[in-house]
RNA sequence: GCCCGGGUGGUGGAACUGGUAGACACGCAGGACUUAAAAUCCUGUGGCCUUACAGCUGUACGGGUUCGACUCCCGUCCCGGGUACCA
């Protein structure tokens, strides 16, 4: 019988399904092991070859752990709410639910073809009402909770109300918005509405007026991690800051725990570091500066209280609430103008114009707390309203930003730290000394101290005089939770007298209502405002915003444990058994989004006593991205708002600020990747003519044009019509006219900049490679092996099929080990020879070690070496070959099932147990030791391993052979057992 | 700018705690089988010098530690990712 992967894979996929081979039962004698993939968003492009990389790795781990005797939970589901399906709905009118279902069906079909061992009975979809009922339920719990800093835990809001009734908020230490102190009497005298307003300051899910990232292109607000470089992560639309009522989750309450618990996790340093940076803990001091001739104070936050004597001015953020109050009449018009300009500058502008210094004097002064001198108060947009107190004490001599501001406006820069003698600086006229090193000068009681003790002493003094105190600040902001979109979980809130109230548990889920159009309403309200008769008890307005994409994914790992439970999000028994994820794998792009949110929700549910887990996943691996190769055509627009050629090269804006990605399919170049002939298909929104009129040519590297013959075909997607053929060899064709390029002139500007670039695979970039073609040609097992063989799991790499025949050949050679020339299974029952057993046991040992450290690429090499060895030995013995089938089964399951069955086994190979290796077979008794003299290998000798280290030294030194090669007498002989003998002379 | 990775043949990559650098695979070259092709198998394959043996050199670059460095330390350059007026 031949290795016919097509029939064989179909046969086993069907059998696994029929026999429910991978159905997992909660509980039992076996130890548990939970292997989890980050579930996919089912996009319209289907699965590409990058998706399965992580799934294959986790499937190998899951199958391996089963063979090792674990009860393995290995589920899969879909992150089914999200923007693309909704964008599609807006364009076509097709309900996102239908789009999503179609995409899921396609994903499932593709996943099944790869032969994963998922327990599909536990599938979850975040868009199922049975699922999002519990997402909503968690939101309700968040709404009814507050964070008690004293116990460092979330607690029921009822407890807080009881405390308010007893003694107001005097004794409450909570993560909350600024709330004026009130007594028990004050509390009781307030009406329901006022009380609810105060409680919102404490709730973990709360509604407030907040600065948000407003994305007009998507018509919604975005969380900080959904914004990259001032544009939306999805779609690349510009984002601006806007103040509006906004649901938020008080993740900042958990900042310290999210930070310190990182220590307990077995995650890569880069992810932990990214989370630490995102949380951004900084220890500093808040200092109050009294305003001259007024009773108000300006509170600043600084990490450098030691430089207090170097303050030459104070700067407020333009949005600071005191700005209007303190500005003098003389400065009013200027300040107001500046504030309005600053407010209207988009986030993107603020980021790209970081170097531009702007500000305005308010006319007001504060009093220096130690010297009593007047300090001018400025406003400047380099101070951020959302961080610290929105105000800084400026110390130009020791902070580069203050320095730049002071230089620009010609303000004094008093020096208070003398840098160490060996420090290299450009001098205080040219730059500030920001380092926390040196001795304090001109600083009264701090004089002569080093910076670090000076910081402590300054805090002590400031606290003693009671105009400030030590304080810890976090960069982390509360997470914006409402989205002005349709395709998400409805927030289970209704409004009474303008105050939000939650639905009761038995009223959940709040089903996403049907609407006819998916755009925002004419009055700018979210799409849900279109829903008819959608009122709580027919009377109260529901919340119109929906939850963000990350809501459903923040707890899904729990749902798999008990996916069909309609009484609870997960039963206590199930979560007590499965506990947290033992092996979690997914893309590193979720480092600061999903992975922070899922930790936050886990900690919250832990605080409520719903789950016994403080962290979702103990071990995390980030699979690298498989990138696509896009052959690109860049066009730079002649417009002032054209993007600088830099990071944003691939993004182009047209007149309507729509974003294009220019990319193309490469027509098969053969095995040599030298792009002799490239065919580009440009994705054009406008016609090719309009396109050519609107864009001009820029900086084609002459070499590229000289060496490559470029065939460019542009066509309009709308009309599906080819417009212009564009050929380049020493020149280019444009509107049927050939323009030669002067090869000596490198400065010519051209219309198109063309080359291939490695980047993320995505439908919008036209570079998606589907696994289906590979499966058709080589089979799923080859795909699985090949994806693992590509290189280390964590590494990103461009997709290329070069070398795929190597792993396919390996499978065929493996197959041939079991079969004779006539393709009959032909094995003898005799025992293996020493060489055969050594090969086998070496392989078992190496595979086990390599899987345990998730090094799958070296596993494949190990298998190949083993097959080469056994082929050379012409080994046809069952006792040697059978264990190899089990060993390979996690990697190539269909293939191994078939061999296993041919070997006469009735049960699936997944029920077998992993073979054990035996040290005895690995001993080398005739090993040629390389002998090196002074570290350089000179010759080889036979030595017995059975000798002790000392005996080896003696043997070597007394050897005639050795002295023959040595010109001096050995001082030292170093033996590294099993590796090398080194002689030092 | 700051933080985290990384730089090894023509290519993807091995070398785990310092111990024969380049495993394994692709590609390439030559050969066997075949009327031929495919498939399969064998041999060679970092560079230099050599008929060959041998020798020299070699893990981005410059230095250091060590009997011995791809691995550790210091400095430089380059690439990738994250992040950014965070006070």
């Amino acid at each position: 019988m031949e290795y016919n992967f097509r029939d064989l894979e179909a046969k086993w996929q069907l059998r696994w399904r029929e026999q429910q081979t991978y159905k997992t039962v909660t509980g039992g004698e076996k130890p548990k092991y939970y292997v989890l993939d980050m579930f996919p968003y089912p996009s319209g492009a289907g699965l590409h070859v990058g998706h399965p990389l992580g799934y294959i790795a986790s499937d190998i781990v899951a199958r391996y752990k089963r063979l090792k005797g674990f009860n393995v939970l290995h589920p899969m589901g879909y992150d089914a709410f999200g923007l693309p399906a909704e964008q599609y709905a807006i364009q076509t009118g097709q309900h996102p639910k239908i789009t999503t279902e179609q995409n899921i069906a396609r994903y499932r079909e593709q996943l099944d073809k790869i032969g994963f061992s998922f327990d599909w009975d536990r599938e979850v979809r975040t868009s199922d009402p049975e699922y999002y009922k519990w997402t909503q339920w968690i939101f309700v719990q968040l709404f009814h909770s507050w964070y008690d800093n004293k116990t460092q835990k979330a607690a029921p809001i009822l407890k807080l109300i009881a405390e308010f009734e007893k003694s107001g908020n005097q004794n409450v230490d909570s993560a909350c918005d600024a709330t004026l102190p009130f007594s028990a009497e004050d509390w009781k005298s307030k009406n329901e509405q006022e009380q609810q307003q105060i409680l919102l300051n404490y709730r973990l899910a709360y509604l407030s007026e907040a600065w948000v990232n407003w994305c007009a292109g998507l018509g919604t607000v975005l969380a900080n991690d959904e914004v990259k470089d001032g544009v939306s992560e999805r779609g690349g639309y510009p984002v601006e800051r806007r103040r509006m009522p906004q649901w938020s989750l008080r993740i900042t309450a958990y900042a310290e725990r999210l930070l310190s618990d990182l220590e307990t996790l077995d995650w890569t340093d880069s992810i932990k570091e990214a989370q630490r940076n995102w949380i951004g803990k900084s220890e500093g001091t808040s200092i109050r500066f009294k305003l001259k001739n007024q009773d108000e104070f300006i509170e600043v936050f600084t990490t450098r209280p030691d430089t207090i004597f170097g303050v030459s001015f104070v700067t407020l953020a333009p949005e600071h609430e005191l700005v209007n109050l303190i500005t003098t009449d003389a400065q009013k018009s200027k300040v107001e103008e500046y504030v309005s300009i600053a407010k209207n500058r988009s986030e993107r502008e603020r980021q790209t114009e970081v170097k531009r210094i702007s500000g305005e004097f308010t006319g007001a002064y504060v009093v220096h707390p130690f010297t009593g001198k007047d300090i001018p108060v400025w406003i400047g947009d380099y101070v951020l309203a959302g961080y610290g107190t929105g105000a800084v004490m400026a110390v130009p001599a020791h902070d580069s930003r203050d320095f730049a501001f002071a230089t620009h406006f010609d303000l004094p820069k008093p020096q208070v730290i003398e840098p160490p003698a060996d420090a290299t600086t450009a001098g205080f006229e040219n730059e500030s000394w920001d380092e926390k090193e040196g001795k304090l000068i001109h600083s009264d009681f701090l004089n002569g101290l080093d910076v670090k003790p000076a910081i402590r002493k300054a805090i002590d003094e400031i606290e003693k005089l009671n105009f400030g105190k030590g304080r810890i600040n976090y960069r982390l902001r509360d997470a914006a939770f409402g989205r002005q979109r349709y395709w998400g979980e409805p927030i289970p809130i209704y409004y009474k007298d303008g105050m939000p109230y939650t639905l009761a548990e038995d009223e959940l889920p709040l089903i996403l209502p049907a609407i006819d159009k998916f755009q925002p309403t004419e009055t700018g309200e979210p799409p849900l405002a279109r829903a008819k008769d959608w009122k709580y008890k027919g009377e109260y307005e529901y919340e119109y915003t929906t939850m963000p994409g990350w809501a459903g994914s923040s707890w899904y790992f729990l749902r798999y444990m008990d996916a069909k439970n309609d009484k609870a999000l997960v039963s206590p028994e199930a979560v007590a058994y499965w506990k947290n994820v033992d092996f979690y794998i997914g893309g590193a792009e979720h480092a600061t989004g999903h992975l922070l949110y899922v930790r936050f929700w886990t900690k919250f549910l832990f605080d409520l006593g719903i789950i016994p887990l403080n962290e979702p996943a103990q071990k995390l691996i980030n699979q690298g991205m498989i990138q696509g190769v896009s052959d690109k055509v860049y066009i730079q627009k002649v417009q002032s708002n054209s993007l600088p050629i830099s990071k944003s090269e691939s993004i182009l804006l047209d007149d309507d600020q729509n974003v294009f990605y220019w990319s193309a399919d490469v027509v098969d170049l053969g095995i040599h990747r030298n792009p002799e002939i490239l065919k580009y298909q440009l994705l054009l929104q406008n016609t090719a003519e309009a396109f050519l009129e609107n864009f001009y040519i820029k900086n084609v590297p002459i070499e590229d044009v000289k060496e490559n013959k470029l065939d460019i075909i542009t066509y309009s997607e709308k009309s599906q019509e080819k417009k212009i053929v564009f050929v380049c060899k020493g020149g280019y064709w444009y509107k049927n006219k050939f323009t030669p390029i002067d090869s000596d002139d490198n400065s010519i500007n051209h219309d198109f900049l063309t080359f291939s670039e490695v980047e993320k695979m995505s439908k919008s970039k036209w570079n998606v490679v589907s696994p289906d073609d590979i499966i058709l040609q080589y089979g799923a097992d080859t795909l699985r092996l090949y994806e693992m063989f590509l290189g280390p799991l964590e590494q990103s790499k461009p997709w290329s099929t070069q070398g795929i025949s190597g792993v396919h050949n390996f499978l065929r050679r493996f197959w041939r080990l079991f079969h004779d020339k006539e393709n009959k299974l032909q094995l003898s029952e005799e025992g293996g020879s020493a060489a055969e057993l050594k090969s086998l046991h070496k392989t078992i040992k190496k595979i086990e070690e390599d899987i345990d450290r998730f090094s799958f690429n070296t596993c494949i090499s190990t298998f190949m070496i083993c097959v080469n060895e056994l082929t050379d030995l012409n080994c046809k013995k069952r006792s040697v070959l059978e264990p190899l089938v089990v060993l390979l089964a996690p990697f190539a399951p269909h293939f191994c099932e078939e061999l296993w069955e041919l070997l006469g086994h009735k049960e699936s190979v997944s029920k077998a147990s992993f073979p054990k290796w035996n040290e005895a077979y690995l001993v080398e008794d005739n090993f040629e030791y390389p002998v090196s003299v002074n570290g350089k290998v000179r010759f080889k000798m036979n030595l017995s391993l059975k000798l002790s280290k000392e005996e080896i030294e003696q043997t070597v030194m007394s050897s005639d052979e050795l002295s023959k090669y040595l010109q001096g007498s050995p001082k030292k002989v170093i033996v590294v057992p099993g590796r090398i003998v080194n002689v030092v002379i």
Side-chain angles (χ1 to χ4, degrees):
Chain A
M1 179 175 170
E2 266 183 65
Y3 171 40
N4 181 341
F5 56 84
R6 285 197 191 97
D7 297 350
L8 179 161
E9 284 172 4
K11 165 182 160 187
W12 286 102
Q13 281 163 14
L14 183 69
R15 195 172 298 182
W16 292 333
R17 188 188 283 241
E18 283 173 356
Q19 302 189 346
Q20 297 196 311
T21 308
Y22 304 114
K23 194 172 166 58
T24 308
V25 179
T26 299
E29 293 297 302
K30 291 178 178 176
K32 70 95 190 183
Y33 198 85
Y34 187 176
V35 184
L36 183 64
D37 294 284
M38 289 185 191
F39 60 176
Y41 173 79
S43 89
L47 221 54
H48 61 67
V49 288
H51 284 113
L53 185 70
Y55 306 157
I56 292 167
S58 66
D59 197 54
I60 289 168
V61 172
R63 288 174 180 274
Y64 168 72
K65 288 289 175 183
R66 280 192 202 104
L67 297 176
K68 279 284 193 179
F70 287 85
N71 186 23
V72 174
L73 177 57
H74 184 39
M76 183 46 84
Y78 305 96
D79 188 14
F81 277 131
L83 286 178
E86 182 164 357
Q87 291 294 80
Y88 189 71
I90 289 172
Q91 283 159 23
T92 64
Q94 173 162 285
H95 196 285
K97 191 179 166 181
I98 296 170
T99 312
T100 305
E101 274 168 9
Q102 285 171 351
N103 291 348
I104 286 179
R106 169 124 174 78
Y107 266 58
R108 176 65 192 273
E109 194 186 318
Q110 287 183 298
L111 287 170
D112 281 349
K113 273 196 225 161
I114 305 173
F116 293 121
S117 63
F118 298 125
D119 179 1
W120 283 105
D121 286 352
R122 295 169 182 265
E123 178 190 322
V124 301
R125 297 178 187 190
T126 55
S127 61
D128 274 352
E130 293 76 38
Y131 182 89
Y132 71 65
K133 170 180 177 175
W134 300 106
T135 313
Q136 292 174 335
W137 185 85
I138 293 169
F139 175 86
V140 170
Q141 308 311 308
L142 283 160
F143 183 84
H144 291 295
S145 300
W146 60 293
Y147 197 82
D148 189 347
N149 281 337
K150 286 180 187 158
T151 56
Q152 279 293 306
K153 269 181 105 164
I157 203 88
L158 288 172
K159 209 180 125 195
L160 186 68
I161 294 171
E163 174 65 25
F164 287 168
E165 282 169 353
K166 207 174 100 206
S167 48
N169 67 351
Q170 315 298 316
N171 302 323
V172 173
D173 179 10
S174 171
C176 62
D177 295 337
T179 310
L180 293 170
F182 57 84
S183 66
E185 287 68 40
D186 293 340
W187 173 258
K188 283 174 200 155
S189 70
K190 290 180 198 298
N191 65 25
E192 164 80 10
Q193 203 179 351
E194 289 165 337
Q195 287 183 346
Q196 287 297 324
Q197 190 64 55
I198 286 173
L199 287 174
L200 277 178
N201 292 344
Y202 291 86
R203 297 182 190 277
L204 290 179
Y206 64 97
L207 184 67
S208 66
E209 281 279 323
W211 287 103
V212 296
N213 304 306
W214 173 255
C215 179
L218 295 171
T220 187
V221 303
L222 298 171
N224 281 349
D225 61 276
E226 292 169 311
V227 182
K228 295 261 144 73
D229 296 322
V231 296
S232 65
E233 197 178 23
R234 287 206 190 261
Y237 298 101
V239 173
E240 59 187 86
R241 290 164 338 112
R242 215 186 239 196
R243 200 164 165 84
M244 55 198 294
Q246 170 65 42
W247 280 100
S248 301
L249 298 190
R250 211 177 293 280
I251 188 173
T252 49
Y254 284 84
E256 187 55 45
R257 279 167 68 188
L258 288 169
L259 184 68
S260 57
D261 288 348
L262 280 174
E263 307 294 329
T264 67
L265 299 177
D266 185 9
W267 292 11
T268 60
D269 288 339
S270 67
I271 294 285
K272 287 195 199 178
E273 199 57 32
Q275 295 218 342
R276 281 189 202 106
N277 290 341
W278 194 260
I279 295 166
K281 181 177 184 174
S282 93
E283 294 179 44
T285 314
S286 64
I287 303 174
R288 279 177 295 134
F289 286 79
K290 193 187 165 299
L291 278 156
K292 193 184 176 188
N293 306 327
Q294 292 191 52
D295 290 334
E296 294 287 339
F297 287 87
I298 292 176
E299 190 174 7
V300 303
F301 175 77
T302 180
T303 55
R304 298 297 299 278
D306 55 313
T307 61
I308 182 87
F309 289 95
V311 175
S312 69
F313 54 99
V314 164
T315 317
L316 304 181
E319 299 90 347
H320 198 283
E321 50 193 9
L322 286 176
V323 170
N324 282 331
L325 193 71
I326 64 172
T327 305
T328 56
D329 293 341
Q331 301 294 323
K332 205 152 207 106
S333 63
K334 276 181 168 178
V335 167
E336 276 173 2
E337 189 192 349
Y338 179 72
V339 168
S340 82
I341 290 171
K343 274 186 181 163
N344 287 332
R345 276 174 83 193
S346 72
E347 199 72 3
R348 181 173 190 95
E349 282 167 336
R350 265 176 96 141
Q351 283 183 8
T352 49
E353 294 172 14
V354 157
K355 294 284 176 294
R356 208 183 74 183
I357 294 156
S358 66
E360 204 61 60
F361 180 47
T362 61
Y365 291 86
V366 291
V367 181
H368 191 287
F370 289 113
T371 67
K373 283 185 189 153
D374 291 351
I375 310 270
V377 179
W378 285 67
I379 54 173
D381 68 359
Y382 80 99
V383 178
L384 302 178
Y387 182 77
T389 57
V392 300
M393 59 177 221
V395 185
H398 304 291
D399 182 284
S400 48
R401 295 154 304 187
D402 297 340
F403 184 93
F405 194 83
T407 307
H408 191 260
F409 291 106
D410 201 20
L411 296 161
K413 304 165 191 163
Q415 181 192 350
V416 291
I417 294 168
E418 189 59 36
D422 57 346
T424 49
T425 65
F428 279 87
E429 304 78 40
N430 302 314
E431 67 176 22
S432 56
W433 174 254
D434 293 14
E435 307 301 312
K436 287 186 179 175
E437 275 171 51
K439 289 235 186 309
L440 273 287
I441 53 171
H442 312 311
S443 293
D444 195 0
F445 59 90
L446 298 171
N447 279 336
L449 289 172
D450 283 330
V451 168
K452 279 171 191 156
I455 292 177
R456 273 195 301 278
K457 177 134 191 213
I459 296 175
D460 288 349
E461 204 66 22
I462 288 163
E463 287 185 345
K464 203 160 80 192
L465 296 173
N466 198 29
F467 52 79
K469 61 176 181 184
R471 175 176 151 176
I472 291 167
N473 240 339
Y474 298 93
R475 201 188 74 109
L476 185 72
R477 309 294 164 80
D478 281 341
F481 198 68
R483 296 287 181 277
Q484 288 69 13
R485 306 292 301 204
Y486 173 71
W487 189 232
E489 301 88 345
I491 294 179
I493 287 285
Y494 65 91
Y495 291 88
K496 193 165 83 181
D497 301 328
M499 297 314 298
Y501 293 87
T502 59
L503 273 65
E505 185 174 334
D506 60 9
E507 291 164 333
L508 297 177
L510 173 59
I511 302 281
L512 189 62
I515 56 175
D516 48 2
K517 275 162 91 182
F518 302 98
Q519 286 92 337
T521 64
E522 284 67 28
T523 54
E525 290 204 88
L528 279 187
R530 293 176 183 274
K532 294 198 176 62
D533 307 322
W534 194 57
K535 283 200 162 71
Y536 181 66
K537 303 208 164 143
E539 187 178 354
Y540 304 108
E541 292 291 345
Y542 280 124
E543 170 65 39
Y544 288 150
T545 62
T546 54
M547 298 188 195
W550 49 267
S553 61
S554 295
W555 69 281
Y556 75 113
F557 78 101
L558 293 167
R559 189 63 181 170
Y560 285 131
M561 298 174 183
D562 193 11
K564 295 190 176 134
N565 194 328
D566 59 357
K567 304 282 186 296
L569 62 91
V570 57
S571 74
E573 298 75 38
V575 69
Y577 177 76
W578 292 111
K579 300 202 180 67
N580 51 11
V581 176
D582 294 283
F583 180 78
Y584 192 27
I585 183 162
E589 66 272 19
H590 297 112
T592 49
H594 163 66
L595 286 173
L596 218 45
Y597 296 128
V598 70
R599 293 182 63 216
F600 164 39
W601 281 36
T602 303
K603 286 177 189 305
F604 171 69
L605 293 171
F606 172 74
D607 286 354
L608 295 196
I610 293 162
I611 57 170
L613 321 167
N614 190 32
E615 283 288 343
Q618 197 53 43
K619 170 84 190 165
L620 172 76
I621 290 266
N622 294 111
Q623 96 264 25
M625 224 187 301
I626 294 213
Q627 296 141 319
V629 179
S630 326
D631 284 275
K632 296 192 139 195
V633 180
Y634 288 158
I635 307 95
Q636 183 79 351
K637 200 175 167 188
V638 206
Q639 288 249 334
S640 57
N641 66 350
S642 62
L643 296 170
I645 288 234
S646 65
K647 240 185 161 176
S648 320
E649 273 171 335
S650 55
I651 302 172
L652 290 165
L653 302 176
D654 70 4
D655 290 331
D656 301 316
Q657 298 284 302
N658 291 315
V659 174
F660 290 96
Y661 286 94
W662 298 102
S663 62
D665 272 337
V666 188
V667 172
D668 190 14
L669 300 175
I671 297 144
H672 307 281
R673 307 210 62 257
N674 181 17
E676 282 171 20
I677 300 170
L678 298 177
K679 293 200 175 177
Y680 292 93
Q681 295 183 316
L682 298 183
L683 167 65
L684 293 181
Q685 199 87 349
N686 303 312
T687 65
E689 306 292 340
F691 157 75
L692 287 166
E693 276 164 24
N694 280 315
F695 297 98
Y696 83 111
I697 298 173
K698 166 117 184 164
N699 295 337
V700 180
I702 292 290
E703 292 74 19
D704 286 4
V705 181
K706 275 196 300 194
E707 287 167 25
N708 307 325
K709 188 184 164 207
L710 304 175
D711 249 353
I712 303 175
I713 300 166
T714 64
Y715 81 103
S716 154
E717 195 183 37
K718 265 184 200 158
S719 60
Q720 295 289 309
E721 192 185 332
K722 288 182 185 178
K723 290 284 182 185
I724 293 171
V725 179
F726 204 85
V727 184
C728 275
K729 184 166 190 176
Y732 56 89
W733 286 93
Y734 174 42
K735 294 187 178 174
N736 297 327
K737 207 179 106 198
F738 183 76
T739 310
I741 289 169
D742 183 354
S743 55
D744 296 317
D745 185 1
N746 285 352
S747 64
I748 292 181
N749 277 348
H750 302 288
D751 285 339
F752 296 91
L753 174 61
T754 63
F755 50 87
S756 66
E757 192 171 292
V758 171
E759 59 181 8
K760 196 175 166 183
M761 255 189 210
S762 128
K763 194 184 177 188
S764 63
K765 298 178 186 179
W766 289 66
N767 60 3
V768 172
V769 182
S770 150
D772 300 7
D773 304 339
I774 306 288
I775 292 175
L776 203 65
Q777 201 181 343
Y778 296 101
D781 288 326
T782 298
L783 175 79
R784 292 171 61 109
L785 289 173
Y786 182 62
E787 292 223 6
M788 291 300 101
F789 188 63
L790 270 176
L793 194 58
E794 290 96 332
Q795 211 166 86
S796 290
K797 52 233 152 190
W799 175 254
S800 126
T801 51
Q802 105 171 244
I804 197 164
S805 63
V807 287
H808 189 63
N809 257 338
F810 155 74
L811 284 179
R812 297 166 51 141
R813 283 166 61 100
F814 197 106
W815 185 265
R816 254 183 278 132
L817 270 180
F818 292 77
H819 295 81
D820 61 15
K821 287 215 170 62
E822 280 79 46
N823 264 318
K824 283 211 185 87
L825 190 79
Q826 199 64 262
L827 295 180
S828 81
E829 298 295 331
E830 61 183 304
S833 70
E836 289 162 351
L837 287 173
K838 188 183 157 193
S839 184
L840 171 67
H841 285 259
K842 194 175 72 182
T843 304
I844 300 170
K845 181 171 187 242
K846 186 97 171 51
I847 296 294
E848 194 174 298
E849 286 168 358
D850 285 352
I851 298 182
D852 283 338
R853 65 190 177 106
F854 311 113
S855 173
F856 302 110
N857 55 330
T858 53
C859 285
I860 313 295
S861 295
T862 305
F863 280 123
M864 287 176 174
I865 294 167
C866 181
V867 166
N868 287 349
E869 283 171 356
L870 294 180
T871 304
D872 287 348
L873 293 166
N874 196 22
C875 174
K876 293 257 182 252
K877 293 165 186 163
R878 173 186 284 268
S879 61
V880 178
L881 298 181
E882 201 172 82
L884 284 176
V885 177
V886 182
L887 216 54
L888 185 65
F891 298 84
H894 317 85
F895 178 88
C896 292
E897 288 279 22
E898 184 69 17
L899 280 177
W900 195 245
E901 193 183 50
L902 288 172
L903 287 168
H905 295 275
K906 295 279 184 294
E907 267 217 315
S908 162
V909 69
S910 63
K911 310 283 191 236
S913 58
F914 200 81
K916 290 190 169 55
W917 54 276
N918 187 339
E919 190 77 55
Y921 296 116
L922 300 177
V923 172
E924 305 228 17
D925 43 21
N926 203 18
F927 183 74
E928 285 248 291
Y929 273 83
V931 178
S932 72
V933 179
N934 288 347
K936 187 156 253 180
V937 175
R938 300 287 169 179
F939 51 89
K940 291 186 178 176
M941 296 182 78
N942 270 333
L943 297 167
S944 169
L945 249 189
K946 289 174 183 98
L947 292 175
S948 71
K949 209 167 174 177
E950 290 73 30
E951 286 168 324
I952 290 173
E953 284 191 27
Q954 282 167 15
T955 312
V956 170
M957 286 199 287
S958 63
S959 158
D960 295 341
E961 219 178 335
L962 179 59
S963 59
K964 196 171 76 189
Y965 287 96
L966 294 176
Q967 272 130 33
S969 55
K971 277 188 213 149
K972 199 159 51 160
V973 177
I974 299 158
V975 179
V976 183
R979 297 197 192 242
I980 195 167
V981 178
N982 192 13
V983 181
V984 186
I985 55 172

